[in-house]
Short mmCIF file of all heavy atoms in Angstrom, two decimals:
data_model
loop_
_atom_site.label_atom_id
_atom_site.label_comp_id
_atom_site.label_asym_id
_atom_site.label_seq_id
_atom_site.Cartn_x
_atom_site.Cartn_y
_atom_site.Cartn_z
N PRO A 188 0.82 -1.22 -0.02
CA PRO A 188 -0.03 -0.03 0.03
C PRO A 188 0.89 1.27 -0.03
O PRO A 188 1.96 1.30 0.55
CB PRO A 188 -0.82 -0.12 1.30
CG PRO A 188 -0.67 -1.55 1.72
CD PRO A 188 0.66 -2.03 1.23
N ALA A 189 0.35 2.30 -0.61
CA ALA A 189 1.12 3.56 -0.68
C ALA A 189 0.98 4.29 0.65
O ALA A 189 -0.07 4.41 1.25
CB ALA A 189 0.50 4.45 -1.80
N GLY A 190 2.15 4.83 1.13
CA GLY A 190 2.15 5.59 2.33
C GLY A 190 1.92 7.11 2.06
O GLY A 190 1.81 7.50 0.89
N ALA A 191 1.98 7.86 3.04
CA ALA A 191 1.72 9.32 2.93
C ALA A 191 2.72 10.02 1.98
O ALA A 191 2.30 10.95 1.26
CB ALA A 191 1.76 10.00 4.31
N GLU A 192 3.95 9.63 1.94
CA GLU A 192 4.99 10.32 1.17
C GLU A 192 5.34 9.64 -0.16
O GLU A 192 6.12 10.17 -0.94
CB GLU A 192 6.23 10.45 2.00
CG GLU A 192 6.08 11.13 3.38
CD GLU A 192 5.61 12.56 3.25
OE1 GLU A 192 6.02 13.24 2.30
OE2 GLU A 192 4.87 13.02 4.09
N ASP A 193 4.70 8.53 -0.40
CA ASP A 193 5.13 7.69 -1.60
C ASP A 193 4.91 8.37 -2.89
O ASP A 193 5.79 8.26 -3.80
CB ASP A 193 4.48 6.35 -1.57
CG ASP A 193 5.11 5.40 -0.54
OD1 ASP A 193 6.24 5.60 -0.19
OD2 ASP A 193 4.38 4.53 -0.04
N PHE A 194 3.84 9.17 -3.04
CA PHE A 194 3.61 9.83 -4.36
C PHE A 194 4.41 11.11 -4.53
O PHE A 194 4.37 11.78 -5.56
CB PHE A 194 2.09 10.06 -4.54
CG PHE A 194 1.37 8.79 -4.88
CD1 PHE A 194 0.41 8.31 -3.93
CD2 PHE A 194 1.65 8.01 -5.97
CE1 PHE A 194 -0.31 7.18 -4.20
CE2 PHE A 194 0.93 6.86 -6.22
CZ PHE A 194 -0.08 6.47 -5.30
N ASP A 195 5.26 11.44 -3.51
CA ASP A 195 6.15 12.56 -3.55
C ASP A 195 7.65 12.07 -3.75
O ASP A 195 8.53 12.88 -3.65
CB ASP A 195 6.07 13.45 -2.32
CG ASP A 195 4.66 14.08 -2.24
OD1 ASP A 195 4.24 14.71 -3.22
OD2 ASP A 195 4.05 14.03 -1.13
N THR A 196 7.77 10.78 -3.97
CA THR A 196 9.15 10.15 -3.97
C THR A 196 9.66 9.96 -5.41
O THR A 196 8.94 9.37 -6.20
CB THR A 196 9.06 8.83 -3.25
OG1 THR A 196 8.64 9.02 -1.86
CG2 THR A 196 10.43 8.19 -3.23
N GLU A 197 10.86 10.39 -5.60
CA GLU A 197 11.59 10.08 -6.84
C GLU A 197 12.34 8.74 -6.51
O GLU A 197 13.34 8.78 -5.76
CB GLU A 197 12.57 11.18 -7.15
CG GLU A 197 13.22 11.00 -8.48
CD GLU A 197 14.27 12.14 -8.79
OE1 GLU A 197 14.80 12.72 -7.83
OE2 GLU A 197 14.57 12.26 -9.95
N TRP A 198 11.85 7.68 -7.06
CA TRP A 198 12.29 6.29 -6.60
C TRP A 198 13.74 6.04 -6.97
O TRP A 198 14.44 5.44 -6.14
CB TRP A 198 11.31 5.27 -7.17
CG TRP A 198 9.92 5.32 -6.72
CD1 TRP A 198 8.89 5.71 -7.50
CD2 TRP A 198 9.46 5.05 -5.40
NE1 TRP A 198 7.69 5.68 -6.71
CE2 TRP A 198 8.05 5.29 -5.41
CE3 TRP A 198 10.07 4.70 -4.24
CZ2 TRP A 198 7.18 5.13 -4.32
CZ3 TRP A 198 9.23 4.51 -3.10
CH2 TRP A 198 7.85 4.76 -3.16
N LEU A 199 14.18 6.34 -8.16
CA LEU A 199 15.52 5.99 -8.62
C LEU A 199 15.82 4.50 -8.47
O LEU A 199 16.98 4.09 -8.23
CB LEU A 199 16.61 6.77 -7.86
CG LEU A 199 16.40 8.32 -7.87
CD1 LEU A 199 17.45 9.03 -6.95
CD2 LEU A 199 16.48 8.89 -9.27
N SER A 200 14.75 3.66 -8.55
CA SER A 200 14.92 2.20 -8.37
C SER A 200 13.78 1.54 -9.07
O SER A 200 12.89 2.20 -9.63
CB SER A 200 14.98 1.84 -6.91
OG SER A 200 13.71 2.20 -6.25
N LEU A 201 13.67 0.22 -8.98
CA LEU A 201 12.63 -0.53 -9.64
C LEU A 201 11.41 -0.52 -8.68
O LEU A 201 10.93 -1.60 -8.21
CB LEU A 201 13.07 -1.95 -9.99
CG LEU A 201 14.01 -2.06 -11.08
CD1 LEU A 201 14.56 -3.52 -11.24
CD2 LEU A 201 13.41 -1.64 -12.41
N THR A 202 10.84 0.63 -8.47
CA THR A 202 9.62 0.85 -7.71
C THR A 202 8.70 1.82 -8.49
O THR A 202 9.22 2.77 -9.08
CB THR A 202 9.97 1.43 -6.32
OG1 THR A 202 10.88 0.59 -5.64
CG2 THR A 202 8.68 1.61 -5.52
N LEU A 203 7.42 1.54 -8.51
CA LEU A 203 6.47 2.38 -9.27
C LEU A 203 5.24 2.58 -8.47
O LEU A 203 4.53 1.66 -8.02
CB LEU A 203 6.12 1.66 -10.55
CG LEU A 203 5.13 2.36 -11.54
CD1 LEU A 203 5.73 3.69 -12.01
CD2 LEU A 203 4.81 1.48 -12.69
N GLY A 204 4.87 3.86 -8.28
CA GLY A 204 3.59 4.22 -7.67
C GLY A 204 2.44 4.08 -8.72
O GLY A 204 2.62 4.38 -9.88
N VAL A 205 1.32 3.60 -8.27
CA VAL A 205 0.14 3.41 -9.17
C VAL A 205 -1.10 4.01 -8.47
O VAL A 205 -1.37 3.66 -7.29
CB VAL A 205 -0.06 1.92 -9.44
CG1 VAL A 205 -1.22 1.73 -10.45
CG2 VAL A 205 1.18 1.25 -9.95
N LYS A 206 -1.85 4.76 -9.22
CA LYS A 206 -3.09 5.39 -8.74
C LYS A 206 -4.17 5.41 -9.87
O LYS A 206 -3.80 5.64 -10.95
CB LYS A 206 -2.75 6.78 -8.23
CG LYS A 206 -4.00 7.50 -7.62
CD LYS A 206 -3.58 8.90 -7.15
CE LYS A 206 -4.86 9.63 -6.61
NZ LYS A 206 -4.46 11.01 -6.10
N LEU A 207 -5.40 5.25 -9.54
CA LEU A 207 -6.50 5.39 -10.44
C LEU A 207 -7.02 6.81 -10.40
O LEU A 207 -7.11 7.37 -9.27
CB LEU A 207 -7.55 4.36 -10.16
CG LEU A 207 -7.17 2.90 -10.11
CD1 LEU A 207 -8.45 2.05 -10.03
CD2 LEU A 207 -6.31 2.51 -11.22
N VAL A 208 -7.36 7.37 -11.54
CA VAL A 208 -8.01 8.70 -11.63
C VAL A 208 -9.20 8.64 -12.52
O VAL A 208 -9.36 7.75 -13.35
CB VAL A 208 -7.00 9.76 -12.10
CG1 VAL A 208 -5.87 9.97 -11.12
CG2 VAL A 208 -6.46 9.41 -13.47
N ALA A 209 -10.11 9.66 -12.36
CA ALA A 209 -11.41 9.57 -13.12
C ALA A 209 -11.28 10.20 -14.44
O ALA A 209 -12.09 9.86 -15.35
CB ALA A 209 -12.47 10.33 -12.28
N ASN A 210 -10.33 11.11 -14.70
CA ASN A 210 -10.23 11.82 -15.99
C ASN A 210 -8.94 12.61 -16.07
O ASN A 210 -8.11 12.57 -15.09
CB ASN A 210 -11.42 12.77 -16.18
CG ASN A 210 -11.61 13.69 -14.93
OD1 ASN A 210 -10.71 14.20 -14.36
ND2 ASN A 210 -12.89 13.74 -14.47
N VAL A 211 -8.76 13.26 -17.13
CA VAL A 211 -7.48 14.04 -17.35
C VAL A 211 -7.32 15.13 -16.25
O VAL A 211 -6.27 15.39 -15.76
CB VAL A 211 -7.49 14.71 -18.78
CG1 VAL A 211 -6.18 15.53 -19.01
CG2 VAL A 211 -7.61 13.65 -19.85
N GLY A 212 -8.45 15.79 -15.97
CA GLY A 212 -8.38 16.82 -14.96
C GLY A 212 -7.89 16.38 -13.62
O GLY A 212 -7.10 17.02 -12.94
N GLU A 213 -8.32 15.15 -13.23
CA GLU A 213 -7.90 14.58 -11.97
C GLU A 213 -6.45 14.13 -12.03
O GLU A 213 -5.71 14.32 -11.08
CB GLU A 213 -8.70 13.41 -11.59
CG GLU A 213 -8.62 12.91 -10.16
CD GLU A 213 -9.63 11.86 -9.75
OE1 GLU A 213 -10.82 12.15 -9.96
OE2 GLU A 213 -9.25 10.81 -9.23
N ALA A 214 -6.00 13.68 -13.24
CA ALA A 214 -4.55 13.41 -13.42
C ALA A 214 -3.71 14.64 -13.25
O ALA A 214 -2.72 14.66 -12.53
CB ALA A 214 -4.37 12.75 -14.75
N LEU A 215 -4.13 15.71 -13.83
CA LEU A 215 -3.42 16.96 -13.77
C LEU A 215 -3.40 17.52 -12.30
O LEU A 215 -2.36 18.10 -11.87
CB LEU A 215 -3.98 18.06 -14.68
CG LEU A 215 -3.83 17.79 -16.20
CD1 LEU A 215 -4.62 18.72 -17.02
CD2 LEU A 215 -2.33 17.88 -16.60
N ALA A 216 -4.51 17.34 -11.61
CA ALA A 216 -4.55 17.80 -10.19
C ALA A 216 -3.49 16.99 -9.38
O ALA A 216 -2.84 17.61 -8.48
CB ALA A 216 -5.91 17.63 -9.64
N HIS A 217 -3.31 15.75 -9.65
CA HIS A 217 -2.34 14.89 -8.93
C HIS A 217 -0.95 15.46 -9.26
O HIS A 217 -0.08 15.57 -8.45
CB HIS A 217 -2.47 13.44 -9.34
CG HIS A 217 -1.47 12.59 -8.71
ND1 HIS A 217 -1.65 11.93 -7.54
CD2 HIS A 217 -0.19 12.28 -9.00
CE1 HIS A 217 -0.58 11.26 -7.22
NE2 HIS A 217 0.33 11.46 -8.08
N LEU A 218 -0.68 15.77 -10.58
CA LEU A 218 0.64 16.30 -10.94
C LEU A 218 0.94 17.56 -10.23
O LEU A 218 2.06 17.77 -9.70
CB LEU A 218 0.64 16.53 -12.50
CG LEU A 218 1.18 15.43 -13.38
CD1 LEU A 218 0.37 14.20 -13.24
CD2 LEU A 218 1.28 15.91 -14.84
N ARG A 219 -0.05 18.43 -10.12
CA ARG A 219 0.21 19.75 -9.46
C ARG A 219 0.52 19.59 -7.94
O ARG A 219 1.28 20.35 -7.36
CB ARG A 219 -1.02 20.70 -9.61
CG ARG A 219 -1.13 21.29 -11.01
CD ARG A 219 -2.18 22.40 -11.04
NE ARG A 219 -3.50 21.82 -10.93
CZ ARG A 219 -4.23 21.48 -12.03
NH1 ARG A 219 -3.75 21.54 -13.19
NH2 ARG A 219 -5.45 21.05 -11.82
N GLU A 220 -0.08 18.58 -7.34
CA GLU A 220 0.13 18.33 -5.89
C GLU A 220 1.40 17.63 -5.63
O GLU A 220 1.94 17.79 -4.51
CB GLU A 220 -1.07 17.52 -5.37
CG GLU A 220 -1.06 17.37 -3.86
CD GLU A 220 -2.20 16.55 -3.34
OE1 GLU A 220 -3.19 16.33 -4.08
OE2 GLU A 220 -2.20 16.12 -2.13
#
């Protein structure tokens, strides 16, 4: 499971965060955050 800081992490390794979004706007909102 993803922790609080995981989507702010530059992994530099064989690790990948995965998240579902409803549309392009929600994807862009995630990028901005």
Side-chain angles (χ1 to χ4, degrees):
E192 305 296 325
D193 283 333
F194 288 116
D195 296 310
T196 300
E197 186 182 25
W198 296 111
L199 304 175
S200 64
L201 288 174
T202 305
L203 179 64
V205 184
K206 181 181 179 180
L207 305 190
V208 293
N210 49 46
V211 180
E213 194 170 307
L215 290 170
H217 179 93
L218 265 61
R219 285 192 289 271
E220 185 179 349

